[in-house]
Amino acid sequence: MSGVEKTQILQKYLELDQRGSVIAEYVWIDGTGNIRSKGRTLNKKISSLDQLPEWNFDGSSTNQAPGYDSDVYLKPVAFYPDPFRRGDNIIVLTECWNNDGTPNKFNHRHEAAKLFAAHTKEEIWFGLEQEYTLFDEYDNVYGWPKGGFPAPQGPYYCGVGTGKVHARDVIEAHYRACLYAGIRVSGINAEVMPSQWEFQVGPCEGIKMADQLWMARYLLCRVAEEFAVKVSLHPKPLKGDWNGAGCHTNVSTKSMREAGGIKYIEQAISALSKRHKEHIKLYGTDNDMRLTGRHETASASSFSSGVANRGASVRVPRSVAKEGFGYFEDRRPASNIDPYLVTGIICETVCGSIDDANMTKEYEREFQ
Ligand code: ADP
Ligand code: MN
Ligand code: MN
Ligand code: MN
């Protein structure tokens, strides 16, 4: 049976009345940095987070718990309109918790949320540029000649036309699915290596940034699945003269966005330079394969910064330097980061630790 025939049969069922029931697809991050999900029926339309029940799953099947104590709990933290099922159906982003009331080892959201809650005054915004690479179901780079290579990099970045761009259908479908779900995708472009793409999400404040990025990744994997395409977040999917994939992290606080804010941008860059090693540890696995000092990257071993410099660890956009306020770009994070870890440590380095924040609050209370 052809794919078209199957789709026609499925359509008949998708049009059936759900009789008031709503399907909620619960999504979580597993112990390998991948996304898992499972669906459940709810008996009414959901309008707020507290109406969503907690749930659980078998953590021994996802690297998240031992077999003898395998229940891991799913706590809903955000929900989005479901672009696949539509109607009142939703996708629910969850945090993973252990049976003993502690956050699961791979639940990095919990700590990050605490940091952001301590720093609401700074109004920290992020914009993430998610790069990724597409493969076919047999693990060949999508659209590349069988057993060979395409012509060297050059014509592919933002490329237009046959042979210069691959899988525009997947990318377009993902873009629309994100907008339907309320994800703040700010743009999309083809990358330097053929079949490598990027979407940007943001600016979003605090914890919302990583929530939105994980949801955008989930939607990408689901859309690609329909086209029998695989999504790779590996930072160096192909050795040799092919660009790696990153997740540039653009950052600003309220004071950076106001006139004269460049002063605070410079302070932040100085703070980042002092914690380079600690940051690199959280900036993705195999990132050393990507941060070589070539292919628009800086070396992983030392920190550098510069205006308009795409070979630096941190770049200040030319327009920001000219206007004297705005944001900066941390170019070090790899495509496979957990954005909770990255936005979390950036908040800590730029705005201070939770202890610092609490001390400031106490001081203010006492001397008011
Ligand atoms: P690049 O030139 O590095 O490819 P992009 O246009 O791909 O830049 O991405 C820029 C990102 O910066 C976007 O995600 C955008 O949302 C984000 N951004 C813009 N202004 C701010 C700001 N004030 N604070 C944080 N992020 C911002
Ligand atoms: Mn970009
Ligand atoms: Mn890019
Ligand atoms: Mn960038």
Side-chain angles (χ1 to χ4, degrees):
M1 201 187 287
S2 76
V4 174
E5 283 169 320
K6 283 187 193 169
T7 307
Q8 278 168 354
I9 295 168
L10 176 63
Q11 196 53 38
K12 199 169 67 179
Y13 296 96
L14 294 182
E15 283 161 10
L16 289 176
D17 189 345
Q18 286 179 216
R19 308 232 183 256
S21 288
V22 169
I23 307 173
E25 189 75 17
Y26 277 47
V27 171
W28 74 93
I29 301 150
D30 72 7
T32 62
N34 286 300
I35 300 167
R36 311 262 179 158
S37 83
K38 59 176 187 166
R40 73 181 286 168
T41 308
L42 303 173
N43 57 18
K44 64 172 199 303
K45 184 180 153 98
I46 297 298
S47 51
S48 68
L49 203 55
D50 56 22
Q51 296 171 336
L52 284 165
E54 271 189 26
W55 204 12
N56 55 56
F57 67 94
D58 166 18
S60 71
S61 300
T62 64
N63 258 338
Q64 287 172 277
Y68 60 83
D69 187 16
S70 65
D71 278 2
V72 175
Y73 292 86
L74 295 172
K75 285 193 187 172
V77 293
F79 67 97
Y80 309 86
D82 183 339
F84 307 107
R85 296 191 172 114
R86 305 194 221 187
D88 290 334
N89 302 308
I90 52 173
I91 304 175
V92 180
L93 184 69
T94 64
E95 268 186 28
C96 293
W97 286 74
N98 302 323
N99 185 35
D100 63 2
T102 56
N104 188 254
K105 197 165 126 196
F106 304 96
N107 173 1
H108 300 302
R109 186 183 188 279
H110 179 63
E111 279 302 311
K114 281 204 287 196
L115 262 165
F116 290 123
H119 287 292
T120 49
K121 240 182 33 201
E122 285 94 332
E123 291 178 28
I124 187 161
W125 292 1
F126 297 96
L128 296 184
E129 304 170 47
Q130 175 71 65
E131 293 179 341
Y132 59 97
T133 313
L134 299 176
F135 287 78
D136 68 19
E137 53 195 314
Y138 310 107
D139 294 320
N140 306 301
V141 186
Y142 188 80
W144 283 28
K146 292 274 161 309
F149 292 93
Q153 293 182 163
Y156 310 113
Y157 170 73
C158 300
V160 177
T162 301
K164 299 194 189 100
V165 73
H166 302 290
R168 212 187 271 286
D169 46 7
V170 178
I171 274 65
E172 188 67 17
H174 174 240
Y175 200 169
R176 302 303 180 103
C178 282
L179 294 181
Y180 180 93
I183 303 302
R184 291 184 65 168
V185 173
S186 60
I188 229 153
N189 62 270
E191 269 305 332
V192 174
M193 177 183 133
S195 236
Q196 201 171 72
W197 288 84
E198 170 181 312
F199 62 86
Q200 302 102 32
V201 183
C204 297
E205 191 168 334
I207 198 71
K208 280 208 192 79
M209 180 67 256
D211 285 352
Q212 290 237 339
L213 190 75
W214 273 114
M215 192 41 56
R217 285 175 174 179
Y218 169 78
L219 296 176
L220 178 61
C221 292
R222 283 288 311 272
V223 166
E225 178 188 315
E226 291 184 23
F227 290 92
V229 168
K230 286 186 187 175
V231 176
S232 166
L233 294 187
H234 195 277
K236 192 73 181 180
L238 258 86
K239 294 215 172 80
D241 223 355
W242 305 103
N243 271 31
C247 192
H248 297 165
T249 302
N250 300 274
V251 188
S252 65
T253 58
K254 188 164 180 277
S255 48
M256 293 176 195
R257 294 188 294 271
E258 288 168 353
I262 192 81
K263 189 174 92 196
Y264 299 99
I265 293 177
E266 281 159 7
Q267 277 174 15
I269 293 174
S270 161
L272 287 169
S273 75
K274 293 182 184 120
R275 297 187 78 196
H276 179 63
K277 274 207 181 115
E278 284 163 87
H279 278 252
I280 286 288
K281 267 190 209 150
L282 302 183
Y283 278 13
T285 45
D286 290 332
N287 200 19
D288 50 324
M289 294 169 72
R290 163 181 166 261
L291 293 183
T292 55
R294 296 184 60 221
H295 302 112
E296 298 177 51
T297 70
S299 151
S301 57
S302 61
F303 182 91
S304 57
S305 64
V307 173
N309 184 358
R310 285 173 197 267
S313 314
V314 169
R315 174 180 69 107
V316 175
R318 174 78 62 205
S319 61
V320 172
K322 218 181 248 171
E323 288 172 349
F325 63 91
Y327 66 99
F328 66 88
E329 176 191 43
D330 190 341
R331 299 176 61 79
R332 295 170 294 173
S335 42
N336 60 1
I337 51 164
D338 184 333
Y340 293 123
L341 289 175
V342 171
T343 58
I345 193 173
I346 290 177
C347 175
E348 187 181 82
T349 302
V350 170
C351 302
S353 68
I354 291 180
D355 291 344
D356 291 345
N358 288 340
M359 255 155 65
T360 313
K361 272 185 199 151
E362 244 165 63
Y363 179 86
E364 280 172 357
R365 249 197 313 271
E366 221 161 285
F367 292 92
Q368 244 165 22

